[in-house]
Amino acid sequence: YYCRARRTDSRLLVEKTPLNSRYAEQLLAHFPEAKVLFVLRDGRDVCASLEMRSEHESWPPADRKEQIELWLEAATAGLQILGDPRYAGRAAQIRYEDLIEDPLAETARLYGFAGIESTSELVAQAVEQTDFAALQRSDKSGFYRNGIVGDWRNHFSAEDERLFRQLAGPVFLECGYTLDDASTTQA
């Protein structure tokens, strides 16, 4: 797509579709200079976001099982690439919760991974311009939720939580999360 659009002004292409994790290995194999960043978020919050988004758009599944399976597929693909020694230094992960907790440090780490020189001012500017509150004020037509960590608690039933544990529990734990209702911190 980038080449077809005749873009030649940058050496950096960012594509952020979560399920493109399916193609990460192919991208890394065919483009030796490519790097892949997996942004991981608590799967329960992802489900809550998909639920809300399905009210405004047709592509996200409204069914909880399908939501969990989408998260599980993306998370599993990410774990496989991250664990493959062939891609050491070319694949990294950031947890959404860590980005919310310390946006300056995590953004600086992302710039470093991408090989982009940065200053503390540039990092602070990037954090400011991508703040959820700023996005909500500037784009009235887009779909933006609140980005609150742990908001799944307001959307999950006991049955949803049981289903999540059943379908995604082992991978969720492997991603560094806990199934304790009070915490989404790393184990």
Side-chain angles (χ1 to χ4, degrees):
Y1 174 79
Y2 188 78
C3 294
R4 280 189 300 207
R6 303 192 194 291
R7 298 297 306 261
T8 59
D9 55 339
S10 177
R11 65 176 188 82
L12 181 66
L13 170 65
V14 176
E15 205 295 319
K16 62 180 191 117
T17 307
L19 286 179
N20 277 347
S21 58
R22 296 171 177 156
Y23 311 107
E25 187 169 5
Q26 292 170 321
L27 290 169
L28 290 168
H30 287 86
F31 299 98
E33 71 284 359
K35 292 184 177 184
V36 175
L37 175 69
F38 294 99
V39 180
L40 184 65
R41 186 174 188 194
D42 182 323
R44 300 166 297 183
D45 279 332
V46 170
C47 289
S49 185
L50 288 170
E51 176 184 338
M52 297 295 102
R53 195 161 194 159
S54 72
E55 295 175 4
H56 303 279
E57 297 180 37
S58 61
W59 72 266
D63 177 71
R64 186 67 78 209
K65 183 176 187 272
E66 290 179 51
Q67 294 165 354
I68 295 166
E69 289 170 344
L70 277 176
W71 179 86
L72 187 58
E73 179 182 350
T76 300
L79 288 171
Q80 288 173 343
I81 294 294
L82 291 165
D84 191 326
R86 294 177 296 169
Y87 306 120
R90 297 183 56 213
Q93 174 181 287
I94 184 169
R95 286 174 19 119
Y96 176 81
E97 295 79 11
D98 296 338
L99 189 59
I100 293 298
E101 185 176 319
D102 192 350
L104 294 173
E106 291 300 303
T107 302
R109 186 171 71 82
L110 295 177
Y111 274 103
F113 170 71
I116 301 171
E117 290 186 34
S118 66
T119 62
S120 57
E121 293 81 17
L122 179 64
V123 170
Q125 182 181 16
V127 168
E128 181 182 331
Q129 290 178 352
T130 57
D131 180 78
F132 264 100
L135 290 172
Q136 289 172 340
R137 286 191 305 269
S138 68
D139 186 355
K140 301 298 182 200
S141 65
F143 175 82
Y144 295 104
R145 287 202 60 242
N146 53 21
I148 295 173
V149 172
D151 192 38
W152 64 271
R153 291 178 189 90
N154 298 316
H155 301 275
F156 262 46
S157 67
E159 175 60 22
D160 291 338
E161 176 64 10
R162 185 199 63 72
L163 184 62
F164 187 86
R165 287 172 186 254
Q166 176 188 349
L167 296 176
V171 171
F172 191 68
L173 295 172
E174 187 177 350
C175 288
Y177 291 98
T178 66
L179 287 167
D180 175 7
D181 289 349
S183 174
T184 58
T185 58
Q186 283 187 297

